[in-house]
Amino acid sequence: SARLSAITGCQTDRMTRDSGWRLLFIGRLLERLSFLSQTLEMALAGQVLGEVEGFEAVMSLFDSTITFHARHQQRRNLVTLCDLLVLDDENPRALAWVIRSIRSHLDKLAALQGGNQPRLAELLPNPDHWDTLALSTGAHTEAQLIDLLDQLSHAAWALSDAIASRTFT
């Protein structure tokens, strides 16, 4: 982990912010989006979030344990989970933050490449359009969340394929 962090630090700190760097960063974010959305979907399907160990394992996988305990202390429920891991704009492991970052980098990449092509960011669901009230407090929260996670997982792969098609073929 320390060695991978060192490599990531070198990539982040020492590379020129050109198209190659943006593609590298977008790729890392797409991997994160795919992994985290699939992980959360499996946790919901396996019904492990109702157990302390399962909930803590998900927080650990999202690298959000400290933030969760600082904000929500011992309130382990779907509302607090959605707040931190899905909707939070300040948590770099939250799905909304990841999508906004990908969209931003895609727009900057398009500007570097002339900006005359259709926006790839449109392949991702827009967090601004997520019904946050229903997602965090509704009676059908789990079903809505599973549907959203499935959309995000598929969107990550579709965007990856679109970037590869546009950039490398």
Side-chain angles (χ1 to χ4, degrees):
S1 181
R3 289 180 180 150
L4 287 175
S5 294
I7 291 169
T8 301
C10 286
Q11 291 170 340
T12 304
D13 294 341
R14 293 188 171 91
M15 286 181 69
T16 304
R17 302 312 195 249
D18 60 2
S19 297
W21 183 86
R22 296 230 180 265
L23 285 170
L24 180 69
F25 202 79
I26 290 167
R28 287 181 58 227
L29 290 173
L30 283 173
E31 286 178 347
R32 183 181 298 176
L33 177 63
S34 176
F35 173 74
L36 294 178
S37 59
Q38 289 174 359
T39 297
L40 192 51
E41 190 172 3
M42 284 191 281
L44 287 164
Q47 299 178 339
V48 300
L49 297 173
E51 302 167 14
V52 173
E53 295 84 8
F55 199 94
E56 291 295 325
V58 169
M59 286 299 154
S60 180
L61 284 171
F62 273 73
D63 196 22
S64 298
T65 303
I66 294 171
T67 306
F68 174 77
H69 288 293
R71 287 190 192 169
H72 301 292
Q73 297 178 7
Q74 298 300 317
R75 291 183 294 152
R76 292 179 187 92
N77 57 48
L78 205 50
V79 174
T80 58
L81 181 130
C82 285
D83 177 56
L84 182 63
L85 303 184
V86 178
L87 303 171
D88 193 336
D89 286 331
E90 302 300 320
N91 180 2
R93 300 286 190 218
L95 300 173
W97 186 95
V98 173
I99 288 176
R100 284 190 173 91
S101 294
I102 293 170
R103 288 170 156 262
S104 172
H105 284 287
L106 284 170
D107 289 344
K108 290 174 184 173
L109 182 63
L112 287 171
Q113 296 174 340
N116 57 356
Q117 298 175 339
R119 287 189 68 221
L120 288 174
E122 299 304 321
L123 294 172
L124 292 173
N126 187 345
D128 294 337
H129 299 143
W130 295 352
D131 184 2
T132 57
L133 183 61
L135 185 62
S136 61
T137 61
H140 304 289
T141 303
E142 191 169 327
Q144 284 181 302
L145 184 55
I146 288 172
D147 184 51
L148 175 63
L149 295 169
D150 191 51
Q151 287 176 35
L152 294 176
S153 179
H154 285 88
W157 287 105
L159 179 56
S160 176
D161 290 345
I163 290 171
S165 176
R166 181 179 288 182
T167 307
F168 302 112
T169 58

